[in-house]
Amino acid sequence: MGALSLTACATPQGPVMSAQAFESRYPPSSTLLGPGDKLKLSLYGDDALSGEYQVASDGTVSLPLVGALPAAGKDVPAFAKSVETALANGFYTTPKVSVQLASVRPIYVLGEVNQPGSFPYVPDLTLAKAAALAGGYTYRAKIGTIAIRRTGMEQEVVVDATQAMPLAPGDTVRILERFF
């Protein structure tokens, strides 16, 4: 009987991490580019290169003339600088590039919510707001403990979270089921 109650309380992913420890180890950043983000690029004086480009699953953006450039993990100004550097290497003397973030990758809310799925990321998105987007918690939801996987993580981590926990673009949040 004792072993049965221990397995009911254990989490399959390992120990529960505090929200503060999770946020310090994996800070939420809506400013770093990742796979799925869309960028609007403009090259001053040449409309042929201007357009929308998406960060591929390997973290690169494929551009005419220069090919695939690494984008994941960089902020928009750093990526714009790398595009200018690549274009200056034999194509333009002093290229002036403008890069804007057209859209960011969505968040995913799974588990014990009424309407699990993919939702557009909005600034200042918290766990409570994400649950509301997903139609609210089911009666079986274990509110306060979630499993989350942030972009770039190998596997999800179980976190003792508050409803005010900030989320980042690309997060996958799984609302766990409570055990009675």
Side-chain angles (χ1 to χ4, degrees):
M1 176 95 175
L4 194 62
S5 67
L6 282 176
T7 54
C9 295
T11 58
Q13 295 80 11
V16 177
M17 183 182 277
S18 74
Q20 284 182 324
F22 178 79
E23 290 175 31
S24 66
R25 187 167 180 186
Y26 308 103
S29 175
S30 59
T31 59
L32 296 181
L33 298 173
D37 288 343
K38 290 184 182 170
L39 303 169
K40 184 177 180 181
L41 190 137
S42 299
L43 175 61
Y44 179 73
D46 190 352
D47 291 338
L49 191 65
S50 300
E52 282 199 9
Y53 300 91
Q54 185 166 350
V55 181
S57 60
D58 66 354
T60 64
V61 175
S62 292
L63 298 173
L65 300 177
V66 295
L69 293 177
K74 294 182 179 182
D75 61 11
V76 172
F79 179 70
K81 184 69 177 158
S82 67
V83 172
E84 286 178 347
T85 302
L87 290 172
N89 191 13
F91 299 105
Y92 296 89
T93 54
T94 55
K96 298 292 182 210
V97 174
S98 167
V99 177
Q100 296 174 331
L101 197 55
S103 67
V104 294
R105 55 208 175 275
I107 61 154
Y108 303 90
V109 184
L110 311 170
E112 295 302 320
V113 290
N114 290 310
Q115 298 169 344
S118 163
F119 302 94
Y121 178 82
V122 294
D124 299 322
L125 187 65
T126 63
L127 178 58
K129 292 175 185 176
L133 289 171
Y137 297 109
T138 67
Y139 71 92
R140 295 180 303 273
K142 184 177 184 179
I143 298 174
T145 304
I146 62 168
I148 184 169
R149 193 174 101 211
R150 189 148 281 164
T151 300
M153 292 175 61
E154 292 289 320
Q155 61 188 24
E156 64 184 11
V157 175
V158 178
V159 177
D160 210 7
T162 66
Q163 295 301 295
M165 179 179 167
L167 299 178
D171 279 356
T172 300
V173 177
R174 187 166 55 90
I175 307 301
L176 301 174
E177 182 179 6
R178 66 182 163 153
F179 296 101
F180 298 95

